[in-house]
Amino acid sequence: MTPAARLQAVIELLTEIDDIARPADAVMSAYFRNRRYIGSKDRSNVAQTTYAILRRHARLSWWIERAGHRPTPRARTLAYALLEERRNAGVVLEMFSGGKFAPERMTENELALVGALDTHTLEHPEMPEAVRVECPDWAEGPIRASLGDRFAVEMEKLLDAAPLDLRINPLKANQASAIKALAKAQIVAEVTQWSPFGLRVKGRPPLGGVDAFKDGLVEIQDEGSQLVALAVAAKPGHQVVDFCAGAGGKTLAIAAMMKNKGRVVACDVLAGRLKRAAERFRRAGLHNIEAHPLTSERDPWVKRHKRKFDRVLVDAPCSGTGTWRRNPDSRWRQLGPGLSELVPLQANILDSAARLVKPGGRLIYATCSMLFDENEGQIAHFLETHPEFTVKPVADVWAEEAYGPVPCDGPYLRLTPARHDTDGFFAAILDRKAEEVAAETTDEAADDAEAAEFEVADLDGAELGEVDPQDIATATDA
């Protein structure tokens, strides 16, 4: 592809991302699947440029609107070429030639925009801090309240592309043997800082055709997501529920820790995602997992299995603020419920899933959010209404399981990009008392009610912190 043709492909992709209510990585994968003629180098260049523009959405839009123009996909592409790539205005004008495969000729308004932006750089002293760190209006207040004086440093870290992390399958490999297997495919990897099962890959090599991946030695999973699975501390022989299993990444990690002994039930309201996850389970050589679709978080199955499980993981649907470095478009597009809907939904899911925990068992609540209301606030409310549960400090679990250094202070697992170089994650570990004298906290009438009030959101796409296997061949930055 010529440089002009690549630019046109970027504009087309940005337009589809704006228009289609799906995550950018899913839109991008579909775009390239429908254009098999685009070679791997061109595909990589187009994808990287598109993601670069998405990561600078607020700053580019600020400049464009300052010049009196609307921040359309064409305008953002123009502004990126001028402000970030530092292209000469004449060169950019030549690329918008209107020729075959090239962008259409510029309008008078676009020519005026080029004139206004030429010779400037992306940063500007008058740019508000929230714009400079790409924080949307709806999130600025909650994030500042949650992060305090770390707002800027954490938000700046979220501007970077996420590294590519792998989790080794302990049934088939250890960190050293997985590194050697990847090296055969010229892939360089090193052990992660916090997860005893993690590897961090240099660059972004395609993994779909690599033997170590195809044979189930490794899975794609952010190190933070791995630590959440470790917080479950599932043992061989345990009965475990992954209540919001999604693409199955944490389910895989938990089942492998159990050495194929015991049972893991992967639940989700999206039966299609569970069906796709089954291929991941097979590749990993795991046969202690069963999938169970739910009609809602109040599915009758929950009541029938009250107090049956040693561990219950609730990886709740959330705002996803901790994953913005790998999902930059999600800052600006609401593809699921808003925060005002998510907080009561999370509380309802947590209340229902808690019924599954047997006396002496453990409930783990997790999000990929950095917002207080979805994390510490949610747990405070739960403990007020569920006195049969108490907080198990994360340091105690790490010591009991000999995981290594504890990644954070305080009772909860709280991971942030700047402190841990992972996605932002939160997890609370809650033990249920072995002997309970208090009355049941769950209204039996609610158990029998049809679950029409709340339903787990269809966030459509890979589990946050992971990559859907069907997108591995084309995902270059997600």
Side-chain angles (χ1 to χ4, degrees):
M1 298 174 72
T2 65
R6 286 178 173 178
L7 210 61
Q8 176 60 21
V10 169
I11 294 170
E12 292 172 357
L13 253 178
L14 289 172
T15 301
E16 291 195 10
I17 290 168
D18 281 358
D19 293 344
I20 299 174
R22 296 190 69 197
D25 58 345
V27 174
M28 192 173 296
S29 294
Y31 179 89
F32 288 128
R33 280 198 300 271
N34 293 332
R35 294 163 178 81
R36 302 281 185 183
Y37 55 84
I38 299 180
S40 60
K41 289 184 179 180
D42 290 322
R43 186 166 62 242
S44 177
N45 178 276
V46 169
Q48 288 175 8
T49 303
T50 301
Y51 271 111
I53 293 172
L54 291 173
R55 293 186 192 284
R56 294 159 177 80
H57 175 89
R59 287 167 288 175
L60 293 172
S61 297
W62 182 85
W63 273 106
I64 294 166
E65 290 170 348
R66 190 170 184 260
H69 199 86
R70 289 191 308 109
T72 63
R74 274 174 63 94
R76 280 179 280 148
T77 304
L78 271 172
Y80 176 77
L82 293 164
L83 298 172
E84 182 67 13
E85 293 186 317
R86 307 290 292 137
R87 292 179 184 265
N88 179 275
V91 172
V92 174
L93 183 61
E94 288 179 4
M95 295 173 73
F96 282 73
S97 65
K100 189 175 183 181
F101 305 123
E104 293 180 4
R105 290 183 180 277
M106 294 185 198
T107 64
E108 288 188 11
N109 286 339
E110 288 173 337
L111 289 170
L113 176 64
V114 171
L117 301 184
D118 190 26
T119 74
H120 289 287
T121 59
L122 186 61
E123 306 297 336
H124 190 283
E126 295 179 9
M127 193 175 279
E129 183 181 50
V131 171
R132 182 175 59 80
V133 298
E134 299 284 329
C135 185
D137 292 342
W138 70 264
E140 183 181 0
I143 293 180
R144 284 189 184 276
S146 299
L147 297 179
D149 60 6
R150 292 191 60 81
F151 171 80
V153 68
E154 292 292 351
M155 291 301 297
E156 285 173 353
K157 187 65 176 178
L158 280 169
L159 298 178
D160 298 337
L164 176 58
D165 290 345
L166 308 177
R167 178 187 54 79
I168 62 108
N169 179 357
L171 298 180
K172 295 187 175 186
N174 55 38
Q175 286 173 310
S177 63
I179 288 173
K180 289 181 180 179
L182 291 166
K184 292 179 180 178
Q186 287 75 53
I187 295 175
V188 178
E190 59 184 20
V191 298
T192 48
Q193 181 179 1
W194 305 107
S195 171
F197 299 107
L199 299 176
R200 180 153 293 179
V201 173
K202 184 177 181 180
R204 307 200 68 82
L207 290 172
V210 175
D211 288 342
F213 177 81
K214 292 192 298 183
D215 295 340
L217 275 67
V218 295
E219 278 282 342
I220 298 174
Q221 188 176 26
D222 179 78
E223 186 181 14
S225 181
Q226 295 179 40
L227 296 180
V228 171
L230 289 173
V232 177
K235 306 284 197 303
H238 270 172
Q239 301 290 306
V240 180
V241 173
D242 187 351
F243 199 66
C244 306
K250 296 180 185 70
T251 310
L252 279 167
I254 292 166
M257 290 168 60
M258 294 166 61
K259 301 179 181 178
N260 254 337
K261 298 175 182 177
R263 179 173 68 135
V264 182
V265 183
C267 298
D268 205 279
V269 295
L270 302 177
R273 296 183 73 185
L274 290 176
K275 186 175 181 180
R276 293 196 299 272
E279 169 58 23
R280 304 178 76 182
F281 304 155
R282 183 202 63 76
R283 187 173 62 242
L286 293 165
H287 51 73
N288 61 335
I289 303 174
E290 61 183 69
H292 187 86
L294 301 175
T295 56
S296 76
E297 73 277 9
R298 293 285 179 186
D299 191 290
W301 180 89
V302 179
K303 183 181 178 182
R304 292 197 302 270
H305 291 82
K306 287 175 63 175
R307 303 184 174 208
K308 299 293 186 183
F309 292 91
D310 301 280
R311 300 284 189 270
V312 176
L313 171 63
V314 176
D315 186 15
C318 66
S319 62
T321 52
T323 67
W324 281 350
R325 60 183 189 164
R326 72 177 66 252
N327 300 302
D329 61 303
S330 64
R331 301 172 190 243
W332 313 108
R333 301 189 302 146
Q334 186 173 311
L335 299 180
L339 194 60
S340 62
E341 301 168 279
L342 283 168
V343 171
L345 172 60
Q346 292 158 355
N348 201 53
I349 293 171
L350 188 56
D351 175 72
S352 182
R355 296 176 294 167
L356 295 167
V357 183
K358 72 180 186 182
R362 188 170 290 171
L363 175 66
I364 299 88
Y365 171 79
T367 73
C368 51
S369 167
M370 298 191 297
L371 303 185
F372 177 88
D373 287 351
E374 297 185 282
N375 297 333
E376 294 92 343
Q378 196 68 259
I379 295 304
H381 173 74
F382 176 81
L383 293 174
E384 286 177 359
T385 55
H386 296 77
E388 69 274 22
F389 284 91
T390 58
V391 175
K392 176 84 168 178
V394 64
D396 292 357
V397 174
W398 252 243
E400 291 168 2
E401 304 300 324
Y403 288 151
V406 182
C408 53
D409 299 324
Y412 304 126
L413 181 69
R414 199 161 192 254
L415 308 172
T416 67
R419 281 196 172 111
H420 303 94
D421 201 15
T422 68
D423 285 353
F425 276 99
F426 172 88
I429 305 165
L430 307 171
D431 280 345
R432 187 167 198 164
K433 296 175 183 177
E435 296 182 5
E436 297 175 14
V437 295
E440 288 288 331
T441 59
T442 303
D443 185 352
E444 292 296 331
D447 290 343
D448 296 327
E450 293 296 328
E453 284 187 64
F454 295 101
E455 195 162 302
V456 179
D458 177 1
L459 299 182
D460 194 11
E463 181 174 343
L464 298 176
E466 301 164 24
V467 175
D468 194 315
Q470 68 181 359
D471 291 336
I472 284 172
T474 54
T476 61
D477 192 73

